Amino acid sequence: GRVEFTPDGQRLLVFEAGTPWKAVVRSLDGTLLADLGPTASQTGLGGRIAGGSRFSPDGSQLLLRRDAELLVVDLDGTGEELVGTNAQSAAFTASGRIVYTTERDLDPPEDDTPRIAHTLHVFDGANSWTVREGDLQCESMILSPTGEQVLFTCEGAPVHDLDDGSLVMETGGLHALGFDATGGGVVVATDETGEGDLLYVPLSPAAGGARALGRWGLGAEWPAFDYAP
């Protein structure tokens, strides 16, 4: 199975092999503390969303997929709540909201190339809404350190506000690497067939325009996501 520490470092979240897989919480000496029930896979989730966590910020809950359902489950095993269905990936934000993605197949064009539309959903325990619905390209995303915004890593590098789904910024023709440590800007790259420029782009116009960080390609390394100008 798979084992990971809970946020407090005092318990173990264990995914035990079986048909189906089962999630349990154990003490560090292996004593069973809570049975969280069956899960859809050995990780309990589909894909991960960068910048997020399967655990709530206070460490009392986690996200699990069970069949087609995405659930938020109390780590002590005392309760659970349905978040949504058919989730492909999911995470808690730093502010405690839950974000998850769904997919749906679209009719292919004349060349029969499969087309999948991706939608990002936000759930705060009482309400649920969508951000960037039915997108054909932006499958991967990164949550800001504050949990208030999301950066899509596809071409254009759009940043959306999680409160209302509004577009905060779109750099246009660039590829996103991540937020800086404060969430006040993003690091993006141009692509010129295997190499290009690295840029830091503030989210606020008051912070000025894009700043050059150097070049990538030809053996150069991508910068770390915690870059701070």
Side-chain angles (χ1 to χ4, degrees):
R2 177 187 175 94
V3 180
E4 58 185 274
F5 283 101
T6 57
D8 60 12
Q10 302 301 308
R11 294 166 292 174
L12 299 172
L13 174 63
V14 183
F15 296 95
E16 299 181 342
T19 308
W21 287 79
K22 183 173 69 172
V24 299
V25 179
R26 295 186 180 275
S27 65
L28 298 184
D29 65 7
T31 302
L32 179 66
L33 300 177
D35 184 340
L36 306 183
T39 72
S41 69
Q42 63 178 338
T43 64
L45 283 175
R48 295 288 186 96
I49 297 177
S53 172
R54 72 158 68 246
F55 295 101
S56 61
D58 65 3
S60 67
Q61 297 178 311
L62 79 155
L63 294 168
L64 288 177
R65 279 180 55 195
R66 186 176 301 152
D67 296 324
E69 296 181 336
L70 175 65
L71 305 169
V72 57
V73 180
D74 296 333
L75 269 178
D76 61 7
T78 58
E80 61 186 39
E81 182 181 4
L82 177 66
V83 175
T85 57
N86 300 315
Q88 299 299 310
S89 57
F92 278 100
T93 69
S95 60
R97 290 173 174 159
I98 296 169
V99 294
Y100 66 98
T101 62
T102 57
E103 299 177 353
R104 62 186 176 90
D105 294 326
L106 301 177
D107 292 334
E110 293 181 0
D111 62 3
D112 293 329
T113 303
R115 298 195 306 162
I116 299 176
H118 309 278
T119 300
L120 178 66
H121 308 263
V122 183
F123 177 79
D124 69 357
N127 302 293
S128 180
W129 59 97
T130 60
V131 176
R132 204 172 177 91
E133 182 174 3
D135 196 283
L136 294 178
Q137 295 180 324
C138 294
E139 179 179 5
S140 299
M141 63 206 70
I142 302 168
L143 297 171
S144 71
T146 62
E148 298 174 353
Q149 296 167 326
V150 59
L151 166 66
F152 291 88
T153 60
C154 55
E155 185 172 350
V159 177
H160 284 260
D161 193 295
L162 289 178
D163 279 334
D164 56 13
S166 61
L167 180 66
V168 177
M169 180 187 73
E170 189 161 24
T171 57
L174 301 173
H175 303 283
L177 280 74
F179 285 93
D180 69 7
T182 66
V186 297
V187 177
V188 297
T190 63
D191 190 347
E192 303 160 9
T193 315
E195 60 180 310
D197 293 314
L198 296 172
L199 303 172
Y200 174 76
V201 184
L203 297 184
S204 170
R211 297 194 282 274
L213 301 178
R215 298 279 292 175
W216 71 271
L218 302 177
E221 298 281 339
W222 293 110
F225 281 175
D226 62 355
Y227 167 80

